[in-house]
Amino acid sequence: MANYPFEFNPSEPYIKQASDWIADVFYDLLPEAGFEVRDEQIYMAFQLERAYQEKKTILAEAGVGTGKTLVYLLYAISYARYTRKPAVIACADESLIEQLVKSEGDIAKIAQHLNLTVDARLGKSQSQYLCLNKLDTARYGEEERELYRDIYQTLPAFVRQPDTLQSFYPYGDRKDHAHLSDEQWSRIGWDVFQDCLICPQRHRCGQTLSREHYRKSSDLIICSHDFYMEHVWTYESRKRNGQLPLLPEHSSVVFDEGHLLETAAQNALTYQLKHGIFESIITRLLEGEIRESLAVTIDEAIEQSDMLFDTLQRAAVKIEGSDRMEYALSESLKDQVGRFRAVLNTIEEELVYESGTFTLNDYQLKIVEEHLDMMQTALQLFEEPERLITWLREDQDGLALVIMPKKVQEVLKERVFAQQLPIIFSSATMSVDNSFDYMMSGLGLAHSLQFSTASPYDYEQQMKARLYAAYARRDKVMKTIELLHESEGRALILFRSEEDMRQFRQEVQEIAPMLSYPMLYEGTQEISRLIEQFQQEETSVLCAVSLWEGLDIPGPSLSNVILWDLPFPPNDPVFAARRQDAKDAFLEVDMPYMLLRLKQGVGRLIRSSGDSGIVAIFGDELTQNEVRQQVERALPVKGELESC
């Protein structure tokens, strides 16, 4: 592989030569290959030049069809080769990762038409890999054991037969088991409560092997926002445990769909506690020769933990439209947390003495100490409720207490923006009313380079928008079926929550069981396979919760986008906390969030100059003049309002 994609002259500044090459690409090389190069692309390229030259953060808002992905890839690849460190491209979620590396994607186009061999490797999140321990449990379990036994038989020989450990290759990716529903995958997929540090199968784990693979990339490592923030948040603790960080040193970072990074940062800073996990970890100390006082304190801690989670279970209240539960943070509950923390403090003090006696296994001791430190950091937030966001969730393994700090700005400032790296935020929607203040405030960005350029598409000719207000649920289902008939399928229906999508699915089956269009629902199989099926079966209808951003399907397969509701934020603890901190919650939190997500959803329709179709938007709030006017301003065309 040539070191540079152009003939490099060491006597001239690198960035000038890179910019000249990128200009040649857009003015000469791509047009000669039959590409339509847009003025907006060239404008964006000159804007990114400054970010790479000065190693600054830039907010690059470029409308749908600008070709922004091609621009940032050219800079990222050339800069990676100059610095000899890979660039990281962080996408909003795993489905967008797959779209970036698909055979007809922009990386493939660069390789083909610029005669480059691009080393692009996927750094997928841990949840995208199966857990060998959970698979062992599932194949001997009560539910669908034959399904999981068949999966076990497809694993490489070195996993099933330790004596044949002769060669390694990556395996266990969620995509390799695309036929599984999300529920089926949850029984074997990695989750946050797996203790990988002491797992006896970790050296044969597909997740481990994938890390060894992507870390060696010379050009691009493509991951999700969540994974990048997990890397940032665990960087120091992994080093303390003698582990490599999740990502290697890198030359630049691109946050595609960058307006979603704040949510990913909050997810990464989230702590999840379970009584069963705590008990299994703390009782490891009992395997060594320890003093009676420590053993008694361990029993007391287990009892206190059990009491705390029992109290939380009784206080839990289901949040409508969410898989989360909330609870009242009473004084008695805070007292219980305080007593639990006091016992944990005693254990930590006892461990200082025990570590000097060398009766405990050093590795096991380090794991216990790390877990106790994490729990103390999380539970300490209960002393400052104004900094705390907390909720409960329950799965087959019991109740989990989820704790999240309200503000992530300081972490982003210290661990992301303080790096001397070019950091690119790329999205079609980052500003509200021509201002980037909403996004910058959420990220804690005091200063950045920024620009905005419009879409080159002729929306007046290509798109029709319809607004539907005050529809009863059954009437809305009937109207949706009518819209599907109008476009003969070929539709994407976007929902605010999984619960809304499940209800819609049930109602459609009752009202129109013989609907002639294949109905595809997110969660029934792996998402990238579902998208591929939607694209190939032209009259199919894709119903989704997570595809408001990034879905890129040009052509007649997507001729109708239906927004089941205006995408206002959910009534969950995260947004409840934001609303509490705002002077006018509706104008400062709900409306900006809704408008950004609305524009993203609408942007799924027109993906090429030859596309055309309808956007249909339902929303009871459209009866409010203020909301309707804001929605109409956000749409690229005038919308026709209809009430039931």
Side-chain angles (χ1 to χ4, degrees):
M1 180 190 299
N3 190 36
Y4 298 103
F6 51 86
E7 188 173 338
F8 181 67
N9 183 350
S11 65
E12 293 185 7
Y14 156 78
I15 194 66
K16 180 181 182 304
Q17 296 179 71
S19 297
D20 289 345
W21 169 68
I22 290 171
D24 289 341
V25 167
F26 285 119
Y27 283 118
D28 298 321
L29 300 180
L30 290 182
E32 288 174 5
F35 280 79
E36 177 189 354
V37 176
R38 305 177 179 98
D39 292 341
E40 293 84 1
Q41 271 182 314
I42 296 170
Y43 175 74
M44 179 176 176
F46 284 116
Q47 297 299 315
L48 292 196
E49 176 185 351
R50 184 180 170 191
Y52 276 88
Q53 184 172 21
E54 300 178 11
K55 298 181 181 178
K56 288 187 174 180
T57 297
I58 186 168
L59 306 183
E61 183 179 59
V64 176
T66 302
K68 51 187 174 293
T69 306
L70 199 60
V71 180
Y72 71 60
L73 284 174
L74 292 173
Y75 271 104
I77 292 168
S78 61
Y79 195 66
R81 297 188 178 188
Y82 172 65
T83 60
R84 291 175 171 78
K85 297 176 185 176
V88 172
I89 311 296
C91 301
D93 57 36
E94 308 296 336
S95 67
L96 300 183
I97 290 175
E98 294 291 347
Q99 290 196 68
L100 196 57
V101 297
K102 62 186 179 182
S103 59
E104 66 273 23
D106 284 332
I107 293 176
K109 291 175 184 176
I110 288 173
Q112 177 184 353
H113 298 290
L114 301 183
N115 195 28
L116 290 176
T117 300
V118 181
D119 186 6
R121 308 190 189 190
L122 302 186
K124 288 195 171 184
S125 297
Q126 295 162 298
S127 60
Q128 295 297 303
Y129 290 92
L130 67 79
C131 170
L132 294 175
N133 290 329
K134 290 179 71 174
L135 178 58
D136 286 343
T137 301
R139 63 194 178 98
Y140 293 110
E142 297 180 359
E143 296 187 64
E144 302 180 288
R145 68 176 69 178
E146 292 302 321
L147 171 69
Y148 298 116
R149 288 177 179 176
D150 290 343
I151 290 172
Y152 179 77
Q153 291 301 318
T154 67
L155 300 184
F158 65 76
V159 178
R160 294 178 285 109
Q161 303 167 13
D163 58 329
T164 63
L165 186 59
Q166 297 176 6
S167 61
F168 291 100
Y169 58 89
Y171 76 94
D173 188 331
R174 171 72 171 100
K175 193 178 179 184
D176 296 338
H177 307 284
H179 61 289
L180 298 181
S181 69
D182 286 355
E183 182 179 354
Q184 290 169 328
W185 174 257
S186 70
R187 298 192 190 110
I188 62 171
W190 181 92
D191 63 60
V192 71
F193 296 108
Q194 299 309 306
D195 197 348
C196 299
L197 283 175
I198 63 161
C199 176
Q201 305 194 73
R202 65 185 181 278
H203 297 303
R204 301 172 186 274
C205 173
Q207 182 188 146
T208 303
L209 297 179
S210 75
R211 287 190 187 156
E212 293 175 0
H213 176 70
Y214 72 67
R215 290 183 65 86
K216 297 174 183 176
S217 176
S218 56
D219 288 331
L220 303 174
I221 297 175
I222 305 168
C223 66
S224 66
H225 290 182
D226 285 345
F227 191 67
Y228 189 86
M229 291 311 304
E230 183 74 12
H231 157 73
V232 168
W233 184 236
T234 62
Y235 183 87
E236 294 297 335
S237 65
R238 292 182 68 85
K239 288 177 67 176
R240 283 197 303 270
N241 287 321
Q243 298 176 291
L244 290 172
L246 293 179
L247 292 168
E249 286 191 38
H250 39 279
S251 54
S252 64
V253 185
V254 177
F255 293 111
D256 199 1
E257 305 297 351
H259 62 287
L260 297 175
L261 183 66
E262 182 189 0
T263 300
Q266 285 186 312
N267 290 339
L269 295 179
T270 297
Y271 304 91
Q272 299 196 52
L273 311 182
K274 273 188 176 180
H275 170 69
I277 299 299
F278 169 69
E279 184 174 10
S280 68
I281 289 176
I282 201 70
T283 52
R284 292 173 189 171
L285 297 175
L286 300 176
E287 297 171 5
E289 296 181 8
I290 61 174
R291 290 171 299 121
E292 183 180 356
S293 60
L294 176 56
V296 170
T297 307
I298 289 172
D299 287 340
E300 184 183 348
I302 293 171
E303 182 181 357
Q304 191 64 51
S305 172
D306 191 31
M307 289 172 57
L308 173 61
F309 276 87
D310 182 62
T311 301
L312 290 169
Q313 182 80 65
R314 285 185 278 108
V317 178
K318 181 78 169 64
I319 300 173
E320 186 177 351
S322 172
D323 61 354
R324 298 172 177 177
M325 296 178 286
E326 59 186 351
Y327 61 93
L329 185 55
S330 63
E331 289 300 320
S332 61
L333 185 57
K334 285 194 280 187
D335 286 344
Q336 278 201 26
V337 171
R339 288 195 294 273
F340 186 34
R341 288 193 62 211
V343 179
L344 297 182
N345 281 332
T346 303
I347 292 177
E348 289 177 318
E349 291 168 2
E350 294 269 5
L351 289 179
V352 173
Y353 179 86
E354 290 288 345
S355 63
T357 65
F358 304 103
T359 59
L360 294 174
N361 178 281
D362 284 344
Y363 191 61
Q364 292 279 11
L365 181 60
K366 182 180 290 188
I367 291 170
V368 174
E369 288 175 335
E370 282 285 338
H371 192 76
L372 291 178
D373 183 60
M374 179 273 290
M375 293 183 70
Q376 290 282 38
T377 302
L379 294 172
Q380 186 177 8
L381 289 171
F382 280 89
E383 294 181 0
E384 304 174 84
E386 69 279 0
R387 295 179 55 216
L388 175 68
I389 303 173
T390 178
W391 65 90
L392 302 167
R393 70 174 182 83
E394 192 161 25
D395 56 27
Q396 61 266 29
D397 297 322
L399 191 70
L401 171 61
V402 185
I403 301 170
M404 174 190 289
K406 272 189 183 180
K407 304 289 186 181
V408 299
Q409 290 89 342
E410 287 303 314
V411 174
L412 290 170
K413 181 179 178 180
E414 294 173 8
R415 304 190 189 185
V416 178
F417 301 128
Q419 301 178 86
Q420 293 299 304
L421 298 177
I423 299 176
I424 316 302
F425 285 85
S426 174
S427 175
T429 57
M430 285 190 283
S431 65
V432 179
D433 288 336
N434 300 315
S435 170
F436 291 92
D437 290 350
Y438 175 74
M439 180 171 167
M440 291 183 67
S441 173
L443 295 172
L445 259 178
H447 306 286
S448 72
L449 304 175
Q450 52 191 243
F451 74 90
S452 182
T453 183
S455 170
Y457 296 143
D458 186 353
Y459 284 103
E460 291 292 338
Q461 295 298 318
Q462 294 178 255
M463 176 190 289
K464 287 182 171 54
R466 300 173 186 172
L467 309 179
Y468 298 101
Y471 269 65
R473 186 172 185 92
R474 187 176 182 85
D475 292 333
K476 187 156 58 166
V477 173
M478 296 300 296
K479 189 65 181 181
T480 300
I481 292 172
E482 181 184 322
L483 290 166
L484 295 181
H485 285 313
E486 184 176 344
S487 59
E488 298 180 329
R490 302 183 176 89
L492 170 68
I493 308 178
L494 293 171
F495 297 87
R496 283 195 303 192
S497 70
E498 292 180 7
E499 186 174 318
D500 280 342
M501 185 173 68
R502 283 194 297 268
Q503 290 180 7
F504 173 80
R505 183 179 185 180
Q506 181 178 346
E507 288 162 342
V508 167
Q509 289 172 343
E510 293 172 356
I511 296 171
M514 303 302 291
L515 198 63
S516 57
Y517 316 115
M519 299 294 291
L520 310 176
Y521 292 90
E522 182 178 357
T524 56
Q525 54 184 310
E526 192 268 334
I527 189 67
S528 61
R529 174 177 286 191
L530 204 63
I531 293 170
E532 183 180 356
Q533 184 179 347
F534 174 57
Q535 190 166 14
Q536 291 175 352
E537 297 182 22
E538 188 173 309
T539 62
S540 62
V541 177
L542 177 57
C543 302
V545 176
S546 68
L547 296 178
W548 292 76
E549 289 91 6
L551 183 67
D552 186 12
I553 300 183
S557 291
L558 210 176
S559 302
N560 189 355
V561 172
I562 301 171
L563 309 189
W564 183 250
D565 278 303
L566 288 176
F568 281 103
N571 181 30
D572 70 8
V574 175
F575 284 97
R578 292 186 186 181
R579 293 181 183 109
Q580 287 174 3
D581 292 340
K583 292 181 180 178
D584 188 326
F586 186 72
L587 293 180
E588 296 175 28
V589 178
D590 291 16
M591 281 295 287
Y593 176 92
M594 184 275 288
L595 292 171
L596 285 177
R597 201 155 175 79
L598 172 77
K599 288 193 284 186
Q600 282 288 342
V602 170
R604 299 314 98 215
L605 181 65
I606 306 299
R607 307 304 298 178
S608 73
S609 57
D611 286 352
S612 61
I614 300 166
V615 168
I617 302 171
F618 290 94
D620 291 342
E621 300 90 348
L622 290 169
T623 57
Q624 304 171 31
N625 287 335
E626 182 182 18
V627 174
R628 188 177 69 255
Q629 290 169 6
Q630 290 269 32
V631 167
E632 289 174 342
R633 283 204 296 270
L635 294 175
V637 295
K638 182 175 176 56
E640 302 172 7
L641 179 65
E642 177 183 317
S643 296
C644 187

